[in-house]
Amino acid sequence: MNSVWRHLSSLAMTVAVLTIMACSAQADSVEQAKSAIAAGNIGRAMELLRPLADGGSPVAQYELGLIHHTGVGVPQDYRKAAHWYGKATEKAHADAQNALARLYVSGLGVDSNPDEALRLLRLAANQGGAVHQFDLASFYEAGLGGGADPALAAQWYGKAHEQGLADATASLGLLYFEGKGVEKDLTRALALFLEAAEKGHARAQNNLGLMYVKGEGTAQDYEAAVKWFAAAAEQGMAKAITNLGVMYDNGFGVPQDDAKAIELYRLGGRSGSTDANTAVSAAQFVYDSRIAPIDPENALPSNFTTEAGHGDPIAMFQLGYVYATGGKARPDYIKAAKWFQRSADKGLPAAMANLGLLYVRGLGVPQDYVYGHMWISLAAASGLLEAVPIRNEVAASLNANQLNEAQSLAIERWPARGN
């Protein structure tokens, strides 16, 4: 009998050792995949992750979803992201639950479903992550699943604040400032804004500045207000830039300066327009740093027409760039679009990005935000990191249907490279 027990015990130990070894190998592969992602080798990362994901690893499934969600190295594809997040969610992966919930809130890659979003946000938040708790609180505050519930929002912001999340601290401060979900308490709001502001949180810095301007919860202090408006303005916050302009306009806490005020008003963008054309109006045409530089001030189209006419995609791109930027002449956007299109069709990422910018701006081609996003997304998918923030700016001004369409168009143009 003892020999039987020894045999069973030995067998159990062997199984346990093999299980530990398999888990260790999976963890090593995931870490190798993350290193490949950091190095920009998305293809290698997917080679490592896909077998693990197919085998049921929630970590690998989440990472695959994140690759498709991010859209660098592959076309941004919220449908595939949702698929892999969904797989990981079945294994209670908190990050996947939260990410999938966000897609359900916005209707990107899946049909909009606030009830399912709330269910997933609760599951993620209950696992204790501060960011997940913040997202659940934001859902309650916005009332996305029906009526807003500021009391629950305050509760969850409070949990995330206790973990030191500045976003939650700032949002909780605003609830105390407005008396929503909690009793109005300007002193408490000021303390929370200050805590978040000292961590560099721009929204808290701006709100703190407003409280000092108005003397709410504290003595009126224009110099302190200027300090915090300036801190937020340095981070590019439009409202803070405009508020700082008001201070210079009126000489509050700083010497009165009309020229400085006008410049700040201009930078702050008082129109508040959010259309895609405005979003990329400040974006310069992209030049691929891997290509030999040219001098756009002195370059002539004739410098590149021969090679471009022979089908050289780099020369096509450079010719389009000279036409787009003007060189020694006025820009010719129709010709720029023609050559960017030819170069983009041959797979040059910078040409794709610039063609997308022309579509968004309606220069040389009919204005088409969806088509513009498609080309800029393909540039990002091809590894042009400069295209990522431009793509995201355009995406912010598209509705869910437009964004889903743009992604579908990009995927149709992308060669099949696995899931």
Side-chain angles (χ1 to χ4, degrees), residues 43-121:
R44 175 57 178 160
M46 294 181 73
E47 287 177 3
L48 290 165
L49 291 171
R50 184 58 193 265
L52 298 178
D54 286 339
S57 166
V59 177
Q61 290 165 344
Y62 170 73
E63 291 296 334
L64 270 182
L66 196 58
I67 286 173
H68 290 294
H69 197 152
T70 305
V72 177
V74 294
Q76 193 174 50
D77 187 342
Y78 291 139
R79 291 181 180 86
K80 285 184 179 177
H83 167 78
W84 287 113
Y85 288 154
K87 293 287 187 183
T89 291
E90 294 171 5
K91 303 279 180 56
H93 191 287
D95 288 337
Q97 291 168 340
N98 201 72
L100 184 57
R102 288 185 172 196
L103 293 179
Y104 275 118
V105 167
S106 56
L108 296 172
V110 291
D111 291 335
S112 178
N113 189 334
D115 291 338
E116 179 63 6
L118 179 57
R119 184 185 75 85
L120 291 168
L121 287 171

Side-chain angles (χ1 to χ4, degrees), residues 57-382:
S57 166
V59 177
Q61 290 165 344
Y62 170 73
E63 291 296 334
L64 270 182
L66 196 58
I67 286 173
H68 290 294
H69 197 152
T70 305
V72 177
V74 294
Q76 193 174 50
D77 187 342
Y78 291 139
R79 291 181 180 86
K80 285 184 179 177
H83 167 78
W84 287 113
Y85 288 154
K87 293 287 187 183
T89 291
E90 294 171 5
K91 303 279 180 56
H93 191 287
D95 288 337
Q97 291 168 340
N98 201 72
L100 184 57
R102 288 185 172 196
L103 293 179
Y104 275 118
V105 167
S106 56
L108 296 172
V110 291
D111 291 335
S112 178
N113 189 334
D115 291 338
E116 179 63 6
L118 179 57
R119 184 185 75 85
L120 291 168
L121 287 171
R122 284 172 174 162
L123 289 173
N126 281 322
Q127 294 194 54
V131 171
H132 305 155
Q133 292 169 342
F134 172 82
D135 283 346
L136 178 58
S138 299
F139 186 98
Y140 281 127
E141 184 180 11
L144 297 175
D149 193 330
L152 276 175
Q155 175 185 325
W156 286 103
Y157 282 143
K159 290 178 181 291
H161 157 67
E162 289 170 2
Q163 298 193 62
L165 186 68
D167 270 333
T169 303
S171 295
L172 184 60
L174 189 59
L175 291 183
Y176 274 105
F177 180 83
E178 296 176 340
K180 293 182 177 178
V182 291
E183 186 175 347
K184 187 178 181 75
D185 186 336
L186 295 181
T187 302
R188 175 69 170 147
L190 185 79
L192 289 166
F193 287 149
L194 181 59
E195 181 180 338
E198 289 177 340
K199 292 179 179 179
H201 193 279
R203 180 161 53 92
Q205 291 168 341
N206 183 66
N207 288 340
L208 190 59
L210 290 171
M211 292 191 75
Y212 278 119
V213 164
K214 299 174 183 178
E216 294 178 311
T218 183
Q220 190 176 60
D221 188 336
Y222 288 151
E223 291 184 1
V226 168
K227 168 190 171 181
W228 290 113
F229 287 147
E234 287 175 3
Q235 299 187 61
M237 186 177 185
K239 290 181 179 179
I241 295 170
T242 299
N243 288 336
L244 188 59
V246 171
M247 304 303 280
Y248 277 98
D249 198 358
N250 293 280
F252 294 156
V254 288
Q256 199 278 335
D257 189 331
D258 287 337
K260 181 72 171 177
I262 290 170
E263 175 64 10
L264 289 166
Y265 286 149
R266 185 187 66 79
L267 291 174
R270 302 190 89 174
S271 66
S273 177
T274 58
D275 65 46
N277 188 38
T278 301
V280 299
S281 62
Q284 302 296 315
F285 286 104
V286 176
Y287 194 88
D288 194 327
S289 60
R290 295 169 294 184
I291 298 174
I294 62 175
D295 180 2
E297 294 291 329
N298 297 304
L300 295 169
S302 58
N303 299 145
F304 308 100
T305 49
T306 300
E307 290 84 354
H310 290 156
D312 182 344
I314 293 177
M316 291 174 176
F317 163 74
Q318 291 174 318
L319 182 54
Y321 189 83
V322 171
Y323 279 127
T325 56
K328 286 188 173 182
R330 296 182 63 183
D332 187 332
Y333 296 119
I334 294 176
K335 289 181 179 178
K338 167 189 171 182
W339 289 107
F340 282 148
Q341 177 79 63
R342 292 186 179 183
S343 181
D345 287 340
K346 288 182 175 288
L348 199 73
M352 299 175 189
N354 290 335
L355 183 59
L357 283 171
L358 290 177
Y359 271 106
V360 171
R361 293 170 178 166
L363 298 174
V365 289
Q367 191 170 48
D368 190 326
Y369 295 166
V370 170
Y371 216 56
H373 183 282
M374 177 202 76
W375 279 115
I376 298 168
S377 179
L378 285 170
S382 300

